[in-house]
Amino acid sequence: ENEGFFYGLILLTQAGLNGVFLAHDALLFYVFWELALIPVYFLCSLWGGEKRIPVTFKFFVYTFTGSLLMLSALIYLSFQPNTTQFDAYSWEHLVAAGKQLPAGTQNVLFVLIFLAFAVKMPIFPFHTWQPDAYEQSPTAVTILLSALMVKMGLYAVLRWLLPVVPAGVQYWSQAVIWLSVIGILYASCIAMVQTDIKRLVAYSSIAHIGLMCAVAFVPNVVSIQGIMVQMFNHGINITGMWLIISFLENRYATRNMSKLGGLASTAPAMAIALLIISFANIALPLTNGFIGEFMMFTGLFTGYAQHHIFVMLIAGSGVILGAVYTLGMIQKTAYGDAVPTENTVTDLSLNELIGISIIIVLILVLGIYPKPLIELTEAATKSIALMP
């Protein structure tokens, strides 16, 4: 219903996302940050599931509150004496203004700015809106939320937090890393007991983002480049997962994994696609998820965990638990006896096959030959990692 309104809101969301990633002015960045939120609110509340209204309201309150805190910090920074020839809200002025502030002031500003990004990613304990929002949103909106909008938070950490308040980053980095790795373990354990396949993937996304957030505060070249590579690859993989879940829900009219058995016998092409995308999601070698995760763990180990081996152990356990719940999901969904259903279960249609084939080709090509992506991110990586 109301297709024009639906796609218009999708395009407005895309405009907000483009603005966030392109803005060089802090005030413009904030405007687009909020602009991306507003159409998503209406998309979820108008086309979502039965519990869409309270879930969408919770999502809006979380993100809007964090955004106001960030705005207050940006305004404070803009009022600092302008030591550059740039506008008060320009990136150059904010970096120069932030660095000259006392360490205590930077610590407070870090909290105000980081809370907005922590909610958007999200990381533990600011994650509670995410599984409900993913579950209640229509598939197109869920893809926007998980493949693109959570990357707004990670991008903003690299672009607007690390260089602006370096003393605050140094003071709070250990706390953020611990919150992130606790979130990895927590989300992985919760995912293992899920029966709803959509909630399982939602919690797995929290675990993946938690690792990226932890590595962002280990400022070496390998870790920062690993984040950039993994942000792109995670967007591909999670999009594939949501597409497969949408195909399953359309055919079986349920997301309960106990009612989805025997997919390999009734829809073998879909089962193969699910298998490949799931392997990429757990970073199997020769898939695109492997190279970024390998780089991130290398950076985390060399830059931080040699002094705190428990961080490495907890983060590493997330990989093992991820394999456990993902392979369990494949076993319950694709194998075993076919579950009787009122609808006739068909394999992938032509347009579904074309869409999912694009995802699979990207997974395999970037997994076997990641050099173009690594070269593309190299210059930006060095500028961030070497920034004082």
Side-chain angles (χ1 to χ4, degrees), residues 63-92:
T63 52
F64 188 68
T65 303
S67 300
L68 288 178
L69 295 175
M70 175 180 66
L71 179 62
S72 64
L74 295 178
I75 292 174
Y76 180 85
L77 286 165
S78 72
F79 277 103
Q80 299 307 303
N82 197 338
T83 58
T84 68
Q85 299 301 313
F86 296 94
D87 181 75
Y89 283 99
S90 69
W91 182 84
E92 289 85 359

Side-chain angles (χ1 to χ4, degrees), residues 123-136:
I123 66 166
F124 178 89
F126 309 103
H127 68 282
T128 55
W129 64 267
Q130 192 231 49
D132 294 331
Y134 284 12
E135 180 187 21
Q136 295 298 317

Side-chain angles (χ1 to χ4, degrees), residues 195-213:
T195 57
D196 187 313
I197 190 171
K198 205 169 186 181
R199 291 186 72 88
L200 183 147
V201 175
Y203 280 108
S204 77
S205 183
I206 294 175
H208 285 110
I209 298 300
L211 178 60
M212 293 184 221
C213 182

Side-chain angles (χ1 to χ4, degrees), residues 84-130:
T84 68
Q85 299 301 313
F86 296 94
D87 181 75
Y89 283 99
S90 69
W91 182 84
E92 289 85 359
H93 171 64
L94 261 63
V95 170
K99 287 179 180 179
Q100 70 181 5
L101 290 172
T105 305
Q106 289 194 42
N107 295 343
V108 175
L109 290 175
F110 176 94
V111 173
L112 294 176
I113 298 173
F114 178 71
L115 283 175
F117 305 156
V119 169
K120 189 71 77 176
M121 286 186 269
I123 66 166
F124 178 89
F126 309 103
H127 68 282
T128 55
W129 64 267
Q130 192 231 49

Side-chain angles (χ1 to χ4, degrees), residues 262 327 379:
L327 294 176

Side-chain angles (χ1 to χ4, degrees), residues 90-259:
S90 69
W91 182 84
E92 289 85 359
H93 171 64
L94 261 63
V95 170
K99 287 179 180 179
Q100 70 181 5
L101 290 172
T105 305
Q106 289 194 42
N107 295 343
V108 175
L109 290 175
F110 176 94
V111 173
L112 294 176
I113 298 173
F114 178 71
L115 283 175
F117 305 156
V119 169
K120 189 71 77 176
M121 286 186 269
I123 66 166
F124 178 89
F126 309 103
H127 68 282
T128 55
W129 64 267
Q130 192 231 49
D132 294 331
Y134 284 12
E135 180 187 21
Q136 295 298 317
S137 301
T139 300
V141 181
T142 306
I143 290 173
L144 281 173
L145 283 170
S146 60
L148 294 172
M149 292 195 74
V150 299
K151 308 306 186 302
M152 286 167 54
L154 286 163
Y155 166 81
V157 166
L158 300 177
R159 171 76 166 169
W160 295 99
L161 186 64
L162 298 184
V164 173
V165 283
V169 171
Q170 186 176 3
Y171 182 81
W172 288 108
S173 61
Q174 289 196 26
V176 174
I177 290 172
W178 276 105
L179 284 177
S180 300
V181 297
I182 289 171
I184 294 171
L185 187 60
Y186 168 83
S188 298
C189 291
I190 297 295
M192 290 176 67
V193 298
Q194 295 300 311
T195 57
D196 187 313
I197 190 171
K198 205 169 186 181
R199 291 186 72 88
L200 183 147
V201 175
Y203 280 108
S204 77
S205 183
I206 294 175
H208 285 110
I209 298 300
L211 178 60
M212 293 184 221
C213 182
V215 173
F217 289 85
V218 182
N220 57 47
V221 173
V222 177
S223 60
I224 298 298
Q225 190 166 23
I227 294 172
M228 293 188 179
V229 171
Q230 195 67 358
M231 279 198 290
F232 184 78
N233 288 329
H234 177 265
I236 294 170
N237 299 340
I238 204 71
T239 298
M241 289 299 296
W242 293 128
L243 288 175
I244 291 291
I245 290 171
S246 176
F247 300 160
L248 291 170
E249 190 174 5
N250 290 340
R251 286 162 172 78
Y252 288 90
T254 182
R255 296 194 302 265
N256 190 326
M257 287 184 286
S258 64
K259 300 178 182 180

